[in-house]
Amino acid sequence: MSNTSSLDVAVIRKDFPILDRMVNGKPLVYFDNAATSQTPKQVIDAIVDYYSSYNANIHRGVHTLSQEATDKYEQARLKIQRHFNAAKPHEIIFTSGTTHSINLVANGFSSLLQKGDELIVSAMEHHSNIVPWQMLCERTGAMLKVIPMSEKGELIMDEYRKLLSDKTKMVFCNHVSNALGTVNPIKEIIEAAHNVGAAVLIDGAQAAPHIQADVQELDVDFYTVSAHKMCGPTGVGILYGKEEWLHKLPPYQGGGEMIAEVTFEKTTYADLPHKFEAGTPNICGGIAFGAAIDYMNAIGIDVIAAYENELLVYATEQLLSIEGLRIYGTSENKTSVISFNIESIHPYDIGSILDKLGIAVRTGHHCAQPIMDFYKIPGTVRASFNFYNTKEEIDAMVEGVKRAKAMLQ
Amino acid sequence: MSIQEIQEEIVDEFSIFEDWMQRYEYMIELGKSLPLINGKYKTDDNIIKGCQSKVWVHAELEGDKLVFTADSDAIITKGIIAILIRVFSNQKPQDIIEANTDFIDEIGLKEHLSPTRANGLVSMVKQLKMYAIAYQTQLN
Ligand SMILES: Cc1ncc(COP(=O)(O)O)c(C=O)c1O
């Protein structure tokens, strides 16, 4: 309790201008945080400040604005490095987000794999942590194996261990499932993979807003994050990679910024991190990402997580009081995500009615079709809570769901 | 009745509803009550995958008119299908090709017929027109 009492949600809500909005004549209740979180004014200010005061291209100008922009951008990298406790700043590669980060690694592994090699993926991945690897398998002849999950929505670790062998070259898995909220035992996953000499990529897109990951403590080889899920802007994120791995991987895209020297005979590549940062990056986005990390740390990720867990427990209880409602993803170890259906009512119908009531939830397969196939459902309604949400909003949603149920049955 | 007349009739019917609740309740009733397609046509060939909800469409020529049947796994989508079928079915292919769906805005259901909604309805309207074009060629 001591933790949660230090989060004053009424004060925090004042930081988020969008939360005052009306939608369809009702106060907005925003429960689609797992797709994209809302932006506090501290981050909006950083964006406005960039474009009002020092917008310029970075790393190659001699003029003041370029220098200021470069400094701020590199400061953001340092903030992110410290936040995830990476050993070196150049182990943080700016990307456009998790999808880009994963593609960068998957593409790099093309030259490191051979036919007969095996990759292991979990059964509860977002499509962006499946498709790039399938494409890699097509290019290299490597094979994809799947860690199965249980009815509760937890990975079956014994099956995972059976899949590992000296053929395993890479394991990739999300830290937290976007469709179920399950927090996966990634430390065990990483350790077991390393025991057979395989590298591990953890998709941290859903974890970063709720769990402080320490990449050195985890000993993870690659970790990916999207800023827009942690109060930052869209279109920016990072790839953390261990230095030795980033040296091993070839560059992903060619262009400016990533070269040391270019002649028509041969180009030599720039050092890390620039080797992977071709072209003008999302400079403002990177700086604003840094501001978002500052914002979240000022509150404290632990404080945030404790409060969100209260919301999760409360919402779970309230929703389960509705007859016929089933929650998908019932692990004890979850972030504040609730995926549910009511009997055979289609999630689209519930979502459409909630929208009319000003309540934003996500409906559909959440880019995780294999999970929906596992449960043999077309999709779910997903409500995901952030630290600026309240129990009153949860009450409004529960009322809305009851109303939708009455209309649709 | 012509497509235009049916659309006007629907707009008229919807004008008695005072708020979205009543409109939705009506749509849901439509969605629940109508058997919209013969089960044997609910095949993978006839499916329009809309990401959010699935839609099935079947077309048959009766005389010089095109008859559509369709269905969806989501009730609100099915309700809208019922309205679209009422407008487009039993019409001459050429009239279907020329018709538009602006009346959907007027009855306050625009959001469901948005190309970004991914519920299959926009693709369904396209599909109805494709059938009309195909059968028109056959008639010529
Ligand atoms: C677990 C997970 N992985 C990857 C992604 C893709 O992130 P982005 O769209 O920011 O690249 C998401 C976003 O929905 C996600 O939830």
Side-chain angles (χ1 to χ4, degrees):
Chain A
M1 272 327 270
S2 65
N3 263 349
T4 50
S5 61
S6 55
L7 189 150
D8 186 343
V9 71
V11 173
I12 282 179
R13 285 178 73 83
K14 295 210 174 79
D15 290 337
F16 293 83
I18 209 168
L19 297 180
D20 291 335
R21 237 201 93 156
M22 303 293 279
V23 169
N24 291 321
K26 303 273 171 25
L28 165 68
V29 172
Y30 187 77
F31 285 163
D32 195 17
N33 294 289
T36 285
S37 55
Q38 292 305 342
T39 319
K41 65 174 188 290
Q42 289 82 346
V43 173
I44 298 171
D45 288 348
I47 294 168
V48 172
D49 186 39
Y50 171 79
Y51 282 111
S52 325
S53 315
Y54 59 95
N55 173 28
N57 213 324
I58 52 170
H59 292 143
R60 34 197 141 148
V62 293
H63 60 83
T64 303
L65 293 193
S66 172
Q67 195 55 52
E68 283 180 20
T70 306
D71 287 348
K72 284 271 174 50
Y73 191 65
E74 290 306 322
Q75 277 164 23
R77 195 191 306 273
L78 293 177
K79 283 177 194 173
I80 296 163
Q81 176 209 349
R82 278 196 298 275
H83 182 80
F84 293 103
N85 194 31
K88 315 221 166 86
H90 60 247
E91 291 178 324
I92 303 295
I93 311 293
F94 276 116
T95 63
S96 69
T98 293
T99 303
H100 178 192
S101 301
I102 294 171
N103 276 282
L104 190 162
V105 178
N107 195 71
F109 265 79
S110 300
S111 56
L112 304 177
L113 294 184
Q114 288 167 4
K115 197 163 189 271
D117 285 344
E118 291 177 4
L119 310 178
I120 298 180
V121 62
S122 99
M124 58 173 87
E125 295 310 302
H126 189 280
H127 295 162
S128 69
N129 204 19
I130 302 174
V131 182
W133 305 107
Q134 284 174 329
M135 290 161 66
L136 174 64
C137 288
E138 271 167 30
R139 286 195 297 274
T140 59
M143 265 184 42
L144 204 57
K145 305 246 160 157
V146 183
I147 315 170
M149 69 178 208
S150 70
E151 210 42 43
K152 278 176 86 171
E154 292 177 333
L155 294 177
I156 304 173
M157 292 297 282
D158 287 344
E159 295 298 321
Y160 168 55
R161 291 202 183 79
K162 283 187 215 154
L163 293 176
L164 288 164
S165 74
D166 58 359
K167 286 192 202 146
T168 313
K169 291 296 178 287
M170 179 106 202
V171 176
F172 33 95
C173 172
N174 52 34
H175 192 165
V176 169
S177 154
N178 68 310
L180 304 172
T182 313
V183 181
N184 286 314
I186 58 167
K187 199 153 163 60
E188 272 176 78
I189 290 173
I190 294 164
E191 238 174 61
H194 284 171
N195 284 340
V196 298
V200 182
L201 178 142
I202 299 294
D203 168 356
Q206 289 296 332
H210 316 285
I211 299 171
Q212 180 95 47
D214 177 329
V215 291
Q216 291 189 74
E217 203 246 325
L218 288 168
D219 196 25
V220 66
D221 302 293
F222 302 100
Y223 196 85
T224 65
V225 179
S226 294
H228 69 97
K229 302 207 197 264
M230 42 189 319
C231 298
T234 56
V236 65
I238 55 125
L239 167 68
Y240 159 80
K242 272 187 195 159
E243 184 180 37
E244 51 170 307
W245 273 114
L246 293 178
H247 280 312
K248 265 186 234 171
L249 295 187
Y252 178 38
Q253 290 174 326
E257 198 89 38
M258 55 76 74
I259 45 85
E261 222 176 327
V262 178
T263 67
F264 280 109
E265 288 69 44
K266 184 171 170 56
T267 292
T268 49
Y269 303 123
D271 283 338
L272 295 172
H274 308 295
K275 169 179 156 187
F276 293 109
E277 294 182 351
T280 301
N282 185 348
I283 303 166
C284 176
I287 294 167
F289 186 10
I293 297 234
D294 283 346
Y295 179 80
M296 293 192 70
N297 282 329
I299 302 170
I301 302 282
D302 288 351
V303 173
I304 285 174
Y307 176 71
E308 288 170 347
N309 192 57
E310 254 186 54
L311 294 181
L312 172 69
V313 170
Y314 181 71
T316 304
E317 262 171 37
Q318 296 301 308
L319 283 171
L320 285 177
S321 74
I322 298 172
E323 211 191 298
L325 187 141
R326 169 168 176 196
I327 292 177
Y328 297 89
T330 49
S331 172
E332 282 78 43
N333 211 355
K334 269 180 75 170
T335 58
S336 43
V337 169
I338 303 181
S339 249
F340 66 90
N341 277 331
I342 302 177
E343 285 156 8
S344 61
I345 301 178
H346 200 285
Y348 177 83
D349 290 325
I350 295 177
S352 297
I353 290 174
L354 289 181
D355 176 54
K356 283 285 169 195
L357 297 166
I359 301 161
V361 294
R362 184 142 292 238
T363 63
H365 55 53
H366 318 297
C367 297
Q369 263 174 350
I371 298 182
M372 304 304 136
D373 292 346
F374 175 84
Y375 289 115
K376 300 189 173 57
I377 48 176
T380 67
V381 181
R382 183 188 71 184
S384 49
F385 317 114
N386 261 11
F387 56 94
Y388 41 74
N389 290 128
T390 65
K391 289 187 182 166
E392 291 71 35
E393 290 180 310
I394 289 171
D395 291 341
M397 174 187 71
V398 172
E399 277 314 300
V401 171
K402 285 181 183 162
R403 198 160 157 187
K405 183 186 175 209
M407 285 172 78
L408 291 161
Q409 255 175 355
Chain B
M1 262 196 282
S2 74
I3 289 186
Q4 185 64 31
E5 282 161 357
I6 299 172
Q7 293 191 351
E8 279 161 18
E9 190 180 75
I10 293 171
V11 171
D12 215 43
E13 281 168 25
F14 268 75
S15 68
I16 62 159
F17 298 135
E18 281 160 19
D19 59 12
W20 71 269
M21 272 286 281
Q22 293 181 350
R23 286 200 299 273
Y24 270 53
E25 269 163 0
Y26 178 64
M27 300 293 305
I28 291 164
E29 279 322 303
L30 281 180
K32 279 183 195 169
S33 55
L34 290 171
L36 291 174
I37 198 168
N38 185 325
K40 72 178 180 200
Y41 296 128
K42 272 174 102 167
T43 59
D44 279 354
D45 274 351
N46 283 338
I47 208 167
I48 296 169
K49 283 204 174 128
C51 192
Q52 287 272 344
S53 49
K54 284 183 197 158
V55 172
W56 292 265
V57 184
H58 173 72
E60 253 170 71
L61 201 58
E62 280 181 15
D64 61 348
K65 292 193 173 143
L66 204 46
V67 174
F68 294 115
T69 46
D71 202 357
S72 172
D73 55 352
I75 283 195
I76 296 174
T77 309
K78 195 169 164 189
I80 292 167
I81 288 175
I83 293 178
L84 290 170
I85 295 283
R86 185 169 146 198
V87 170
F88 285 105
S89 190
N90 252 315
Q91 300 289 343
K92 295 197 173 117
Q94 191 57 39
D95 296 341
I96 296 169
I97 296 168
E98 284 162 13
N100 66 44
T101 54
D102 294 350
F103 77 104
I104 290 283
D105 289 15
E106 279 179 65
I107 59 174
L109 295 169
K110 181 169 154 214
E111 69 261 28
H112 293 279
L113 210 66
S114 142
T116 51
R117 186 83 168 196
N119 56 7
L121 283 176
V122 169
S123 313
M124 174 186 162
V125 172
K126 270 196 202 127
Q127 191 64 39
L128 299 185
K129 297 217 168 206
M130 294 294 282
Y131 276 124
I133 292 168
Y135 281 104
Q136 181 63 37
T137 335
Q138 201 175 310
L139 284 175
N140 283 344

